[in-house]
Amino acid sequence: MVKETIRTFLTGENFHLQDFLGAHPGQKDGKDGYYFRVWAPQAEKVSVIGDFTTWFESPLEMTRLDGGIWQTFAPAQDGQIYKYLVQRQGGQVVEKIDPFARYFEQRPATGAVLIPSTSKKWKDSLWLGRRKRFGFKDRPVNIYEVHASSWKKGQTFAQLKDQLIPYLVEMNYTHVEFMPLMAHPLDKSWGYQLMGYFAFEASYGRPEDFQDFVETCHLNNIGVIVDWVPGHFTQNDDALAYYDGTPTFEYRDHDRAHNYRWGALNFDLGKNEVQSFLISSLLYWVEQFHIDGIRVDAVSSMLYLDYDDGPWQPNEDGSNRNRQGYSFLQKLNGVMKHHYPEVMMIAEEATADTPITSPISDGGLGFDYKWNMGWMNDTLRFYELDPIYRQYEFNLLTFSFMYCFKENFVLPFSHDEVVHGKKSLMHKMWGSREQQFSGLRNLYAYQICHPGKKLLFMGGEFGQFLEWKYDQELEWGNLAEADGLNQKMHDFTAQLNRFYREHKALWQIDDSYQGLEVIDADNKAESVLSFIRKTDKGELLVCVFNLTPVERQEFTIGVPVPGIYEEVFNTELDRYGGSWKEGNSNKKTETRLWKDYPYRLTFTLPALGASIWKIKRRFRK
């Protein structure tokens, strides 16, 4: 059994490595305690130290097994703290964390804590059954992205369970996504420089707190997505970095090992042992916490040799493809889809050179979704423009219709867009305060109506004006502003999210032109965009966006079906912060050619507003 476990580790086929390496309760010579195992293939000697050895007074020397694994038994108890002493080649002795620890001390300490294996009796079987049966492809996916420690300052998941989950329900989100929850040594990294790939971050509470949080989300019909970072890790000397004094988890080549842009170290994705480590980490989070989706961070950094700012060497044919990274990502997705095809795999990737969501069998990476960074960048650039100039840059808004089904996309307004001087989404909008809110409502309606799954970073839902700071909580006080506009924006987002969930046309066909028909993408002079979203049964939503502060009375578009149309959403109603007391009345189509359409629909289009219509009663053609 042990030999086979080690063999599959060394061949990159062990995907539950944490069940062997790390600390595990057991018995020896009739005594209870823990077995400790760690991989340090080039170490001269390894010892375990901790509360049970009075730390440095009586280190327990470990025995070397096959494959560079070291093992010992200690009469240790739950709750005690430990580390490893690794004697590197040449005699230098360093303290090291346990890479397979499931919990660490509160920062800045880095000792691993012995905790018993969780044996939670989950109550979310109904959710998991529905997830397996229905999947997510033709289901609504509207994600609220959260940084756990700054949604409200200093809360653990035991507290978030009682506050964040009711908020998600109130706001009508389908999913919540968390920036990394794995152990990390510094808040300033936002969790993206990981230390413990199997450890829940101690500042967020206990692992069982997060299990309870996920379970309660599922009982409230909310999916949970977690960010995960397999490309790079913290270079802190007491963590994974040069674990046994030689490149262990990182590349042997110095430049490939060092991530100069982020001050981190890159995993050697071609090493079998590293593949076992990372894939085991991924499955651990899905299995132990019933996670519904994983967003893989910084995929581009794993795909291209020249992605970083430092020196690099091309392949022998001059290409820049990181072939080990490409193969690893295919393997990662292949394993995940074999075990859990109903769990979303999402790539944070910004280039157009790699088929991210194409099947592995066709040479793609096999992700379910890719963040559409091009759409995000173009859209935000457009909405930041003075409306006078939007007619000259209208392609920023319409170009995405040319490629929106090249990949399966998530449309993200993420944390990266509201930091480092980029300004909040609200602050990006043009005009007076009232016009900024109009623009923001228009922007969110455009995102909801555009093909693709949706994501919005916390604070955006109520129009927070200041950009996000990782060490400060959201400006909840905005909701009590005297003019009431932030509160109305908050209510608008909740109603827009509800509208999205209730209308299949906005999510049932998100991956082909069968669900989309562009009415007019050429009205640059008036800066009006119009298109149709469809269900598989031919139900229609007509979506019209006015990108200028000029109200368009008697505005006409073409439609394919005659009948009486009803306006079902108007972003400029006063209850949302707009200037309209009530929306358009029902309108009857006119049988008259408009471009290639045999029927016309005429109505008033609000300034900086979006107007969405559906057929109330069809006429025979």
Side-chain angles (χ1 to χ4, degrees):
M1 179 68 177
V2 170
K3 280 192 172 183
E4 178 63 11
T5 298
I6 294 175
R7 185 194 71 79
T8 54
F9 166 50
L10 298 177
T11 58
E13 300 169 281
N14 191 322
F15 304 138
H16 291 86
L17 194 56
Q18 73 280 2
D19 294 340
F20 180 66
L21 295 181
H24 299 279
Q27 283 189 333
K28 186 177 182 182
D29 299 330
K31 293 182 179 180
D32 292 332
Y34 273 81
Y35 282 96
F36 296 85
R37 300 185 190 96
V38 65
W39 179 54
Q42 301 302 319
E44 292 183 344
K45 184 171 72 172
V46 182
S47 303
V48 63
I49 57 175
D51 294 339
F52 45 88
T53 70
T54 322
W55 289 93
F56 294 94
E57 287 188 16
S58 306
L60 280 175
E61 190 168 329
M62 305 178 80
T63 301
R64 185 183 175 100
L65 306 179
D66 293 339
I69 293 171
W70 300 77
Q71 173 180 284
T72 193
F73 177 85
Q77 300 175 359
D78 294 348
Q80 291 187 313
I81 300 168
Y82 70 98
K83 287 186 176 182
Y84 293 116
L85 281 182
V86 178
Q87 183 172 313
R88 293 170 163 175
Q89 294 287 329
Q92 181 192 25
V93 178
V94 294
E95 295 179 39
K96 283 291 188 177
I97 67 164
D98 181 354
F100 290 87
R102 291 187 292 112
Y103 200 59
F104 287 97
E105 298 176 273
Q106 291 282 346
R107 295 191 302 246
T110 57
V113 182
L114 292 170
I115 59 173
S117 299
T118 54
S119 55
K120 179 178 175 61
K121 294 182 179 178
W122 289 84
K123 302 174 184 176
D124 62 349
S125 58
L126 182 61
W127 167 272
L128 295 180
R130 285 200 304 260
R131 187 182 79 179
K132 194 167 187 176
R133 180 181 177 187
F134 296 111
F136 47 80
K137 292 282 188 182
D138 58 354
R139 303 294 299 165
V141 175
N142 189 8
I143 305 165
Y144 185 62
E145 188 190 20
V146 173
H147 179 248
S149 61
S150 61
W151 186 73
K152 287 190 176 176
K153 188 66 177 169
Q155 291 198 335
T156 66
F157 270 87
Q159 297 164 307
L160 288 171
K161 183 181 76 171
D162 296 329
Q163 297 189 41
L164 177 55
I165 295 176
Y167 186 76
L168 294 168
V169 173
E170 174 193 358
M171 296 303 296
N172 295 302
Y173 284 103
T174 65
H175 292 74
V176 59
E177 178 178 326
F178 290 101
M179 295 159 72
L181 302 178
M182 302 83 187
H184 50 278
L186 189 66
D187 280 337
K188 195 173 183 179
S189 77
W190 310 341
Y192 290 100
Q193 300 237 6
L194 297 185
M195 175 178 73
Y197 276 74
F198 296 84
F200 184 69
E201 170 53 49
S203 63
Y204 296 151
R206 304 278 294 186
E208 52 266 33
D209 294 336
F210 185 53
Q211 287 180 322
D212 290 344
F213 178 92
V214 174
E215 178 180 71
T216 306
C217 278
H218 290 171
L219 295 176
N220 284 275
N221 295 315
I222 296 166
V224 180
I225 302 168
V226 172
D227 288 7
W228 180 67
V229 191
H232 60 274
F233 56 93
T234 179
Q235 61 183 352
N236 289 20
D237 195 51
D238 61 348
L240 301 182
Y242 295 95
Y243 197 85
D244 60 12
T246 67
T248 309
F249 292 91
E250 55 274 277
Y251 288 103
R252 185 165 296 280
D253 179 89
H254 181 275
D255 290 330
R256 291 192 71 182
H258 284 77
N259 192 311
Y260 296 97
R261 180 178 300 185
W262 295 319
L265 290 169
N266 295 320
F267 280 108
D268 182 348
L269 299 175
K271 186 180 287 188
N272 290 336
E273 297 90 339
V274 171
Q275 293 178 6
S276 286
F277 174 81
L278 288 172
I279 296 175
S280 293
S281 168
L282 179 70
L283 292 181
Y284 172 80
W285 282 86
V286 170
E287 293 171 350
Q288 289 296 310
F289 298 100
H290 288 200
I291 298 301
D292 303 288
I294 297 289
R295 194 213 71 160
V296 180
D297 183 64
V299 168
S300 294
S301 71
M302 294 180 274
L303 292 177
Y304 304 106
L305 297 172
D306 59 346
Y307 178 81
D308 194 20
D309 297 330
W312 67 284
Q313 290 293 323
N315 296 313
E316 62 279 0
D317 61 358
S319 63
N320 69 340
R321 169 74 73 212
N322 182 342
R323 293 167 181 164
Q324 294 105 325
Y326 199 100
S327 295
F328 166 73
L329 289 168
Q330 288 183 316
K331 180 176 181 178
L332 177 80
N333 284 314
V335 172
M336 175 60 81
K337 289 305 158 187
H338 174 74
H339 290 283
Y340 301 101
E342 73 277 11
V343 172
M344 278 188 278
M345 291 294 290
I346 305 168
E348 189 257 327
E349 207 277 335
T351 72
D353 299 330
T354 300
I356 301 296
T357 60
S358 295
I360 297 169
S361 58
D362 293 340
L365 291 183
F367 281 96
D368 296 302
Y369 294 106
K370 171 184 175 178
W371 273 20
N372 195 339
M373 312 290 272
W375 174 89
M376 176 194 67
N377 290 324
D378 287 348
T379 298
L380 293 180
R381 278 180 58 199
F382 181 86
Y383 275 83
E384 286 184 88
L385 288 171
D386 186 311
I388 292 175
Y389 303 110
R390 290 180 179 176
Q391 60 181 311
Y392 307 113
E393 302 287 348
F394 207 57
N395 64 305
L396 289 173
L397 203 64
T398 60
F399 177 62
S400 62
F401 292 115
M402 303 293 291
Y403 69 85
C404 60
F405 304 119
K406 183 179 179 182
E407 303 269 13
N408 297 325
F409 285 118
V410 171
L411 308 180
F413 292 136
S414 71
H415 64 275
D416 280 324
E417 301 315 304
V418 293
V419 290
H420 299 325
K422 295 181 183 178
K423 302 185 291 189
S424 68
L425 294 180
M426 172 64 176
H427 197 179
K428 294 177 194 287
M429 298 299 107
W430 167 88
S432 66
R433 179 169 165 81
E434 289 77 9
Q435 288 170 324
Q436 284 181 310
F437 275 109
S438 291
L440 197 61
R441 293 192 298 271
N442 191 305
L443 174 69
Y444 292 172
Y446 173 63
Q447 179 197 34
I448 286 292
C449 293
H450 193 287
K453 307 308 184 187
K454 328 297 177 186
L455 179 142
L456 180 66
F457 184 59
M458 63 182 196
E461 73 274 17
F462 60 83
Q464 175 168 311
F465 188 79
L466 295 180
E467 65 179 24
W468 172 62
K469 295 181 176 59
Y470 74 91
D471 55 352
Q472 297 179 21
E473 74 174 37
L474 297 183
E475 293 190 290
W476 296 107
N478 286 171
L479 297 176
E481 292 285 345
D483 61 10
L485 288 176
N486 289 99
Q487 181 62 58
K488 289 184 176 182
M489 184 72 213
H490 180 271
D491 296 343
F492 166 83
T493 305
Q495 291 306 309
L496 183 66
N497 291 346
R498 177 187 293 276
F499 181 80
Y500 168 72
R501 295 181 74 150
E502 291 177 346
H503 289 82
K504 285 186 178 182
L506 296 176
W507 45 261
Q508 190 184 61
I509 308 176
D510 256 345
D511 58 359
S512 80
Y513 285 104
Q514 293 179 3
L516 171 70
E517 181 177 332
V518 177
I519 298 173
D520 189 6
D522 299 317
N523 190 349
K524 301 176 182 180
E526 293 180 300
S527 294
V528 176
L529 172 66
S530 53
F531 56 88
I532 297 170
R533 295 301 309 277
K534 307 175 185 179
T535 70
D536 58 6
K537 298 187 183 305
E539 298 170 4
L540 309 179
L541 279 182
V542 179
C543 310
V544 190
F545 300 86
N546 184 3
L547 287 312
T548 70
V550 179
E551 183 174 280
R552 307 288 180 188
Q553 297 187 10
E554 297 296 310
F555 184 80
T556 299
I557 58 171
V559 290
V561 179
I564 296 175
Y565 282 69
E566 173 188 14
E567 186 182 59
V568 289
F569 206 92
N570 186 319
T571 62
E572 276 303 294
L573 298 181
D574 62 353
R575 65 174 177 269
Y576 301 142
S579 59
W580 283 39
K581 296 298 182 185
E582 57 184 24
N584 281 285
S585 58
N586 294 344
K587 301 296 181 181
K588 180 180 177 182
T589 56
E590 179 185 5
T591 305
R592 187 177 171 193
L593 193 67
W594 190 93
K595 290 193 173 181
D596 293 330
Y597 288 97
Y599 310 104
R600 295 184 172 205
L601 186 68
T602 301
F603 56 93
T604 299
L605 185 59
L608 290 174
S611 178
I612 304 174
W613 298 74
K614 73 175 184 180
I615 303 170
K616 186 173 184 179
R617 182 158 64 91
R618 291 176 181 249
F619 296 158
R620 289 187 178 181
K621 295 184 181 180

